[in-house]
Every structure is written in structure tokens, then in C-alpha cells.
Amino acid sequence: GFFGACIYRASLFFSLALYAVKVRAEAMQKASEAVPSGMLSVVGRREANYKFACLEARKHCESLGIENPVCVISNYLFPDSRIIAGHLQALEFLQENARKYYFTRTKMLPVSGAFHTRLMEPAVEPLAEVLKSIEIQKPLVCVYSNVDGKKYMHSKHIQKLLVKQVVSPVMWEQTMHSVYERKQGTEFPYTYEVGPGKQLGVVLKKCNVKAWKQYNHVDALEDEEAADT
């Protein structure tokens, strides 16, 4: 009947979506192995100029004989916090010269490559191909893309931005501003972070402390343990 057809369609879409995630992950891993690269978490003072620091790090790489070096902001997390990605030599240069660029803390992330940079370009085509086989419908609720921090408009828009996201910086700070933009005097919605850790809540507090006051954390593991007892 109709209900069974809906269940079948939903499960089929879910299977295809998981396959797309698998293709994306494998393609990005392959791209990572092509160049020694990584990601550096940076917290800076207000004087910090992250783009200038990246420029100087690229010049340093060129002096080492690296052609077309990559060192760019890959994640805009919250004010005064960025993730910089690119060639390992560039990231090491930034760590060694952290004080010069007004970085108060730098930390290499435990990842295998420079995600959300042009070093991931080899992963674009495989993902674009698999997405062609998936019928994507406009979401029933507002869903924001971290490519530009704006709402998805239609299915083709979603498909285009999912591919672009592989090589584009994550605009998380900008997305937070879009999601919580309100006329003065309008109440903020309740926000729930589900799963282990409260990192997104910390980011929300840094971006919008008024919205954060309506934030709650739900630890899925704790709920499962409570249900077992």
C-alpha cells in the first residue's frame, strides 16, 4: 500500500545517502594521501590577521620549493577562532611564528588532510557523479548550508552546494548568525545539541550569548544507559 511504498522510498533514499557519504569519505581520503597536509586549530587575539598569516605561510612554502602551496582558512568557527588548512610545512610555519601573528593558541587536528581546501578537488567529481543518481527533495524544515550560511532553496541548489562544500571553507560562524537572526524583542528558539560533547553549544555561546541561554544538551549515551537500568 501507500504507507509501505513510503517506507521503501525512505529506506532507499537513506541507503543511497549513506553510499554518497561513503564515496565522499573515500575520495577525500585518497586526495589527502596525495599531499602531506593537515588542519590547524587557531585562537587569536583581535589583532590577528589570519589571511595575512596564510599568505606568509604560502610564501614560506614557495621558498622551500613547493609549487602552488595551499594554506587557507578552512573553518570559520566563532569570533577569534579559525581552522587553517593546507600543506604541513605551512602549518608548522604558523605554529613556529604564532606570536608574530597574534595567535594565542594553535593545535594540530588529528585528521589526515586539508579538508575544505582545493587539495580536495580530486574528490569533487566522484561525489558529483553519485549525487546525480539520488533524487534530492527540498527539506520540509529550514536547512542551512555551511558553504554560504544561507538556506537551501531547491533540490538543484542542494546538489550543487554539497559538491562545492568539499573544497569550500565551512562558514559555521556565519551560519549561526543566519539561523539566529531575529528582530529586536523576538524570543530565541530552544536549541538542542544531541550526542556526546557540547562543542556546538560552546560555539553558539561565542556567536550569540542570548540565543545560547535557550540551549540544552542531550547526551544520547546517558539516555540509553538510563533506559537499560
Side-chain angles (χ1 to χ4, degrees), residues 104-121:
T104 56
R105 184 166 63 85
T106 62
K107 182 181 179 181
M108 288 295 297
L109 299 183
V111 296
S112 59
F115 304 132
H116 306 294
T117 73
R118 63 176 171 83
L119 289 176
M120 291 294 110
E121 280 179 359

Side-chain angles (χ1 to χ4, degrees), residues 94-159:
L94 292 178
Q95 282 190 297
E96 291 165 6
N97 294 276
R99 184 173 293 183
K100 175 184 176 182
Y101 300 115
Y102 301 103
F103 297 162
T104 56
R105 184 166 63 85
T106 62
K107 182 181 179 181
M108 288 295 297
L109 299 183
V111 296
S112 59
F115 304 132
H116 306 294
T117 73
R118 63 176 171 83
L119 289 176
M120 291 294 110
E121 280 179 359
V124 166
E125 192 58 33
L127 178 60
E129 280 301 311
V130 74
L131 286 176
K132 288 178 184 177
S133 66
I134 300 175
E135 182 187 350
I136 301 174
Q137 296 183 346
K138 184 178 178 181
L140 296 176
V141 297
C142 293
V143 178
Y144 292 75
S145 168
N146 58 30
V147 171
D148 56 10
K150 298 177 182 178
K151 297 175 188 176
Y152 285 122
M153 303 302 292
H154 48 77
S155 59
K156 287 291 184 184
H157 186 224
I158 295 170
Q159 188 178 49

Side-chain angles (χ1 to χ4, degrees), residues 20 30 34 45 51 66 68 70 73-74 83 93 96 99 102 106 121 126 137 175 180 183 191 208 213 217 223:
K30 189 175 180 181
R45 287 159 53 184
K51 291 184 178 179
I66 299 173
N68 299 317
V70 172
I73 299 170
S74 65
I83 293 176
F93 172 83
E96 291 165 6
R99 184 173 293 183
Y102 301 103
T106 62
E121 280 179 359
Q137 296 183 346
T175 302
Y180 292 99
K183 290 181 180 178
T191 299
N208 191 325
K213 289 178 180 178
H217 174 248
D223 287 352

Side-chain angles (χ1 to χ4, degrees), residues 155-199:
S155 59
K156 287 291 184 184
H157 186 224
I158 295 170
Q159 188 178 49
K160 179 183 176 182
L161 290 186
L162 285 177
V163 174
K164 192 176 180 182
Q165 198 252 5
V166 173
V167 291
S168 301
V170 173
M171 301 288 191
W172 192 258
E173 180 183 343
Q174 294 85 341
T175 302
M176 290 292 94
H177 291 317
S178 294
V179 171
Y180 292 99
E181 186 178 15
R182 294 286 187 281
K183 290 181 180 178
Q184 194 157 0
T186 306
E187 289 189 8
F188 287 100
Y190 288 102
T191 299
Y192 297 93
E193 180 174 1
V194 181
K198 302 180 181 179
Q199 292 90 338

Side-chain angles (χ1 to χ4, degrees), residues 45-97:
R45 287 159 53 184
R46 288 190 176 182
E47 304 96 316
N49 186 327
Y50 303 95
K51 291 184 178 179
F52 175 71
C54 289
L55 173 63
E56 295 221 320
R58 290 196 297 272
K59 287 181 179 178
H60 168 73
C61 287
E62 288 171 352
S63 74
L64 299 177
I66 299 173
E67 293 184 12
N68 299 317
V70 172
C71 184
V72 294
I73 299 170
S74 65
N75 296 63
Y76 292 80
L77 295 177
F78 53 85
D80 304 325
S81 180
R82 304 283 185 268
I83 293 176
I84 295 173
H87 282 79
L88 282 181
Q89 295 90 333
L91 304 184
E92 289 165 357
F93 172 83
L94 292 178
Q95 282 190 297
E96 291 165 6
N97 294 276

